């Protein structure tokens, strides 16, 4: 169901949560009087979204695809399979995996977006992919973020966005 200006209910709920956060911060910093807080009576309601799961058969078909080694498609498939085997790790977090994040067959990392800590047992497929890409003297295991941008978060973000576009293509 579409609503005002073509936005769906969950988009409106997301925007409202942002506005609520702005109001809360403004109240906490004594910029706005709490009596003007619009969210005392107004509740932000979203709705369940349809699951968009990929089938097991499709995962197997992707894994078995014959692709030219080192081609863009081959790397994209490796990144997809690695993400799948790491419980759906985001591309940004996956590109930022360091050798030191792997301890006793487990990946431990803090998600960039939520800062939540994860500790994931590596599957054999994940181990194989990580082993293939790992090289000595490289900060990150995957060759997405070059050494020239290790200390530049803005360039890292732009590089990851571009890499996602290439993989998705």
């Amino acid at each position: 169901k579409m609503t005002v200006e073509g936005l769906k209910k969950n988009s409106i709920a997301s925007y409202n949560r942002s506005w609520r956060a702005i109001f809360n911060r403004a109240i906490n910093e004594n910029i706005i009087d709490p009596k003007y807080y619009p969210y005392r009576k107004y509740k932000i309601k979203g709705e369940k979204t349809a699951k968009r799961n990929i089938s097991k058969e499709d995962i197997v078909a992707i894994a078995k695809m014959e692709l030219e080694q080192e081609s863009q498609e081959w790397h994209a498939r490796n990144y997809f399979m690695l993400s799948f085997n790491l419980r759906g790790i985001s591309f940004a977090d996956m590109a930022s995996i360091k050798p030191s994040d792997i301890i006793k067959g487990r990946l431990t990392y803090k998600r960039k977006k939520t800062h939540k800590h994860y500790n994931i047992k590596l599957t054999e497929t994940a181990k194989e992919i990580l082993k293939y890409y790992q090289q000595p003297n490289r900060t990150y295991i995957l060759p997405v973020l070059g050494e020239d941008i290790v200390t530049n978060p803005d360039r890292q973000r732009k590089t990851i966005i571009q890499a996602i576009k290439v993989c998705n293509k």
Side-chain angles (χ1 to χ4, degrees):
K1 179 181 170 187
M2 300 299 275
T3 58
V4 180
E5 296 184 29
L7 294 176
K8 293 186 179 180
K9 193 171 187 176
N10 286 345
S11 296
I12 293 170
S14 176
Y15 291 140
N16 268 302
R17 284 191 298 275
S18 296
W19 279 113
R20 183 179 62 190
I22 292 167
F23 265 97
N24 287 335
R25 186 167 182 183
I27 289 168
N28 289 341
E29 294 182 12
N30 297 316
I31 296 170
I32 294 176
D33 190 304
K35 71 181 179 184
Y36 296 113
Y37 186 69
Y39 295 98
R40 266 193 308 271
K41 294 179 183 175
Y42 176 76
K43 300 294 178 202
I44 301 170
K45 295 178 185 172
E47 58 190 12
K48 290 262 185 196
T49 56
K51 296 289 183 193
R52 299 180 299 265
N53 299 348
I54 187 169
S55 72
K56 182 178 180 180
E57 294 77 25
D58 287 340
I59 296 288
V60 171
I62 290 169
K64 290 183 176 181
M65 286 176 70
E66 292 290 328
L67 299 170
E68 181 184 338
Q69 191 166 344
E70 295 295 328
S71 68
Q72 227 173 30
E73 294 83 3
W74 186 82
H75 288 293
R77 192 257 315 271
N78 285 348
Y79 297 161
F80 172 81
M81 293 307 298
L82 182 58
S83 175
F84 177 78
N85 279 270
L86 294 177
R87 297 179 45 213
I89 188 173
S90 75
F91 193 93
D93 292 330
M94 188 171 63
S96 302
I97 296 172
K98 297 177 180 178
S100 60
D101 295 334
I102 298 172
I103 303 166
K104 295 181 181 175
R106 301 187 74 85
L107 170 65
T108 58
Y109 72 99
K110 184 169 77 169
R111 185 158 186 228
K112 289 181 181 302
K113 184 176 178 180
T114 63
H115 307 290
K116 183 177 174 184
H117 288 272
Y118 287 86
N119 185 327
I120 302 168
K121 183 178 182 189
L122 296 176
T123 64
E124 287 306 314
T125 300
K127 288 177 188 176
E128 288 172 19
I129 295 170
L130 291 168
K131 183 180 178 184
Y132 176 83
Y133 286 107
Q134 190 166 356
Q135 292 182 5
N137 302 318
R138 197 162 66 195
T139 303
Y140 301 110
I141 294 177
L142 299 183
V144 175
L145 300 171
E147 295 301 315
D148 58 324
I149 62 172
V150 167
T151 59
N152 188 330
D154 189 50
R155 286 212 29 229
Q156 283 186 10
R157 186 183 54 77
K158 289 176 183 173
T159 301
I160 287 169
I161 289 169
Q162 185 58 39
I164 290 170
K165 287 178 184 177
V166 169
C167 279
N168 287 345
K169 182 179 175 211

